[in-house]
Amino acid sequence: EAGVVQSPRYKIIEKKQPVAFWCNPISGHNTLYWYLQNLGQGPELLIRYENEEAVDDSQLPKDRFSAERLKGVDSTLKIQPAELGDSAVYLCASSPSPSGEETQYFGPGTRLLVL
Amino acid sequence: KQEVTQIPAALSVPEGENLVLNCSFTDSAIYNLQWFRQDPGKGLTSLLLIQSSQREQTSGRLNASLDKSSGRSTLYIAASQPGDSATYLCAVYTGGFKTIFGAGTRLFVKA
């Protein structure tokens, strides 16, 4: 079975520019997560989707970050405008359900560098 | 607020050595605890998942234990190999469907 797919794998932009990341979860997984991982740290949740509904976006900086999951499958995370401090790895994960019994499957991440 | 701490932050061992990675968490009200492996430039791969009602899980050379009352988990790696070199992250799944990760232990196994 195909894993979680993310693109692009790497992105270098200048500050104040917009950037978008795309994620395709494992087929049939209703729950999708976007995480931010800074160097030397564990991932931190940005937003969680159940199908097309964002059920937890409390950690998403809504002044510059936005996300969507149209049709409850693929998802896009956008930053506009990007700041130097946004340089990090953005990880997408999916799971069959939000139940605590299920593990999350992670994509390879998008490594963002803001200059 | 749940906090997850991993000790040591980095570890270098010779090949063949048995080793223990430690994880502690501040709130014992968890649904489960997972150990993940992360290779450089890659995402996380789940190694072991321990439900809150369980005490340990085993997979090959890996054994993870969970002591909820003391807020501790250990990952035991037997007969370490250079291919085990990676970052190992501990994560707890809490009420409110949140997964809280530790910062990880960077392991280097020398051939």
Side-chain angles (χ1 to χ4, degrees), chain A residues 9 12 45 57 72 98-99:
Chain A
R9 293 294 312 279
I12 301 175
L45 181 69
D57 62 355
S99 165

Side-chain angles (χ1 to χ4, degrees), chain A:
Chain A
E1 125 186 309
V4 177
V5 179
Q6 290 189 248
S7 68
R9 293 294 312 279
Y10 305 92
K11 190 73 176 178
I12 301 175
I13 61 172
E14 294 187 347
K15 63 181 181 182
K16 300 184 181 180
Q17 294 300 306
V19 64
F21 315 126
W22 176 80
C23 172
N24 180 244
I26 292 173
S27 178
H29 283 195
N30 297 324
T31 306
L32 183 145
Y33 312 77
W34 281 103
Y35 287 92
L36 164 71
Q37 185 176 27
N38 288 305
L39 188 63
Q41 299 297 317
E44 299 174 15
L45 181 69
L46 289 172
I47 189 168
R48 176 171 65 90
Y49 280 94
E50 295 302 329
N51 298 304
E52 66 275 8
E53 182 181 0
V55 294
D56 184 355
D57 62 355
S58 57
Q59 302 302 311
L60 189 72
K62 298 181 182 63
D63 57 337
R64 297 184 300 108
F65 286 66
S66 64
E68 61 182 11
R69 191 184 185 196
L70 300 176
K71 301 181 181 179
V73 181
D74 296 359
S75 178
T76 302
L77 178 68
K78 299 178 181 178
I79 308 175
Q80 181 170 12
E83 297 179 352
L84 296 177
D86 296 331
S87 296
V89 176
Y90 292 81
L91 294 165
C92 179
S94 70
S95 65
S97 75
S99 165
E101 297 180 355
E102 305 275 8
T103 191
Q104 297 177 33
Y105 298 82
F106 283 80
T110 296
R111 189 173 299 270
L112 174 67
L113 178 60
V114 182
L115 302 175

Side-chain angles (χ1 to χ4, degrees), chain B residues 34-76:
Chain B
Q34 288 192 74
W35 284 92
F36 289 87
R37 168 181 174 142
Q38 186 172 30
D39 292 282
K42 297 188 178 181
L44 283 67
T45 300
S46 179
L47 297 173
L48 291 166
L49 185 153
I50 310 175
Q51 300 295 343
S52 60
S53 59
Q54 298 176 322
R55 297 283 294 184
E56 66 177 340
Q57 282 286 338
T58 299
S59 176
R61 294 182 294 109
L62 305 180
N63 176 274
S65 67
L66 173 63
D67 184 344
K68 273 185 56 178
S69 60
S70 66
R72 295 175 187 270
S73 176
T74 61
L75 178 66
Y76 175 82

